[in-house]
Amino acid sequence: YTASGFSGTSVYISSTGSDSNLGTSASPVLTYAAAVTIANANSVTNIVFKDGNYPSMEVNQTGFRLSAE
C-alpha cells in the first residue's frame, strides 16, 4: 500500500477505489487495511467510507474515527 504523496486529515475508502491510490476523497483506496496503513504513516485518525457496498469486516484497530459519506 502506498502512503507517499498523501495529504489530508482523512483517509477515504471506496468500493470502487484501488489500494494503489493515495486515499484522498478524489483517489480513495479499496480496503480498510490500506486505509489503516496510510493513516498510520501520516498520523491521521479519520477514516471515511464513501457511499457503496462493502463486504462485512471486523475492525480491530483502536484510535480511529470511522464515518460514512
Side-chain angles (χ1 to χ4, degrees), residues 35-60:
V36 168
T37 298
I38 293 170
N40 282 331
N42 293 280
S43 300
V44 173
T45 58
N46 297 313
I47 296 178
V48 180
F49 287 84
K50 294 176 79 74
D51 191 29
N53 293 316
Y54 298 92
S56 62
M57 66 183 82
E58 185 174 325
V59 177
N60 291 323

Side-chain angles (χ1 to χ4, degrees), residues 7-68:
S7 175
T9 58
S10 297
V11 178
Y12 290 82
I13 303 171
S14 172
S15 59
T16 59
S18 170
D19 284 348
S20 62
N21 287 346
L22 294 176
T24 62
S25 181
S27 184
V29 294
L30 176 63
T31 65
Y32 180 74
V36 168
T37 298
I38 293 170
N40 282 331
N42 293 280
S43 300
V44 173
T45 58
N46 297 313
I47 296 178
V48 180
F49 287 84
K50 294 176 79 74
D51 191 29
N53 293 316
Y54 298 92
S56 62
M57 66 183 82
E58 185 174 325
V59 177
N60 291 323
Q61 290 84 10
T62 60
F64 295 109
R65 177 182 299 149
L66 304 179
S67 61

